[in-house]
Amino acid sequence: MSPREKKLDARFYNRKDVLRIARELLGKILVTQLDGIRCSGRIVETEAYAGVHDRACHAFGGRRTARSEDLYGAPGTAYIYICYGMHHLFNVITNEVNIPHAVLVRALEPIEGIDHMLERTGKMTADYTLTRGPGNLSRAMGISKLHSGSMLFSEEIFIGDDGLRYKPDQIVVTSRIGVESAREDAELPYRFIVKGNPYVSARKS
DNA sequence: CGACCGATCGTCT
DNA sequence: GACGATCGGTCGA
């Protein structure tokens, strides 16, 4: 691991306020070191999923199935599931064991391993589509459902802090994307983005 | 630029 | 058997 960033520890993830954690994850660095390939990118878009009372969360109403089991894991667990049959969506689990809070990481600004990201995605150029959107970033970083349940303290996948902080006026809060069926919870201000960052989804603001 | 649509398949009812 | 915490392409204004 490069000495540049310091891994977030269990204390960071083991907190009750998932909205605060989602906000604080902006600017942190997601790192994968898979098969000797190191890739990293700065997190610029997140969404909070607030457990059993959140209609958009897979754990709404206490639902607990084989798919969502990792959502109930220890703080710092990776929860990855397949969406629309082809996209692997990467979440980090927060709060205590059995409290199914999660933060979906939706976009990165690539830092290291861009050539490998291009190879994995089959793209020709490193434009803003490379790691924009949860499906795209997982493909670029080599993250798949196989990594669900693994802890983010390993060398394979983790989140680091290099000290960068966004000022409050650089962060915009909006409703979440793709959760229309969550009825009254669809409009909750649970999405956090870095203002003006080209890797953030273009929708809303 | 916005609206729409097909791809693709694991998961849940 | 229906439905996604998506994506990229197309079509029309």
Side-chain angles (χ1 to χ4, degrees):
Chain A
M1 141 178 177
S2 144
R4 273 191 305 282
E5 70 278 321
K6 185 177 164 211
K7 265 183 209 171
L8 298 180
D9 61 20
R11 285 170 305 180
F12 180 90
Y13 301 107
N14 191 6
R15 290 182 286 161
K16 298 184 189 310
D17 189 347
V18 67
L19 295 175
R20 179 184 172 126
I21 297 172
R23 180 187 290 267
E24 289 181 3
L25 279 171
L26 295 179
K28 301 297 187 290
I29 299 176
L30 177 62
V31 180
T32 59
Q33 301 184 126
L34 305 168
D35 301 319
I37 297 174
R38 178 182 167 101
C39 289
S40 68
R42 196 175 300 282
I43 297 170
V44 297
E45 176 176 358
T46 60
E47 282 177 0
Y49 286 83
V52 300
H53 303 298
D54 179 357
R55 302 193 85 95
C57 184
H58 291 161
F60 175 69
R63 226 175 342 142
R64 185 164 182 159
T65 65
R67 174 182 70 154
S68 62
E69 182 59 29
D70 293 328
L71 186 44
Y72 289 80
T77 299
Y79 169 48
I80 298 142
Y81 72 94
I82 297 177
C83 188
Y84 293 100
M86 59 188 106
H87 302 295
H88 297 246
L89 273 56
F90 171 76
N91 299 252
V92 310
I93 299 307
T94 70
N95 213 323
E96 302 170 26
V97 177
N98 287 328
I99 298 183
H101 287 187
V103 176
L104 171 67
V105 179
R106 291 190 54 91
L108 302 175
E109 181 182 309
I111 299 174
E112 298 167 281
I114 293 174
D115 48 346
H116 294 290
M117 296 185 192
L118 290 170
E119 195 174 329
R120 286 184 180 126
T121 58
K123 293 177 189 283
M124 301 306 292
T125 54
D127 63 13
Y128 60 82
T129 67
L130 186 60
T131 50
R132 161 197 272 206
N136 287 336
L137 87 82
S138 289
R139 213 179 340 144
M141 295 290 283
I143 295 171
S144 81
K145 179 175 168 54
L146 295 175
H147 302 108
S148 192
S150 66
M151 301 302 295
L152 297 175
F153 313 122
S154 73
E155 289 300 291
E156 283 208 315
I157 306 178
F158 63 90
I159 298 175
D161 180 3
D162 71 349
L164 182 139
R165 295 289 182 274
Y166 294 114
K167 297 187 178 80
D169 67 357
Q170 291 178 283
I171 296 175
V172 176
V173 186
T174 80
S175 59
R176 294 171 291 186
I177 293 186
V179 298
E180 294 77 14
S181 62
R183 303 205 280 169
E184 68 266 29
D185 290 341
E187 300 303 321
L188 292 172
Y190 283 6
R191 174 172 175 248
F192 300 86
I193 64 183
V194 175
K195 190 189 251 179
N197 190 288
Y199 289 90
V200 170
S201 328
R203 300 161 63 179
K204 311 185 185 178
S205 64

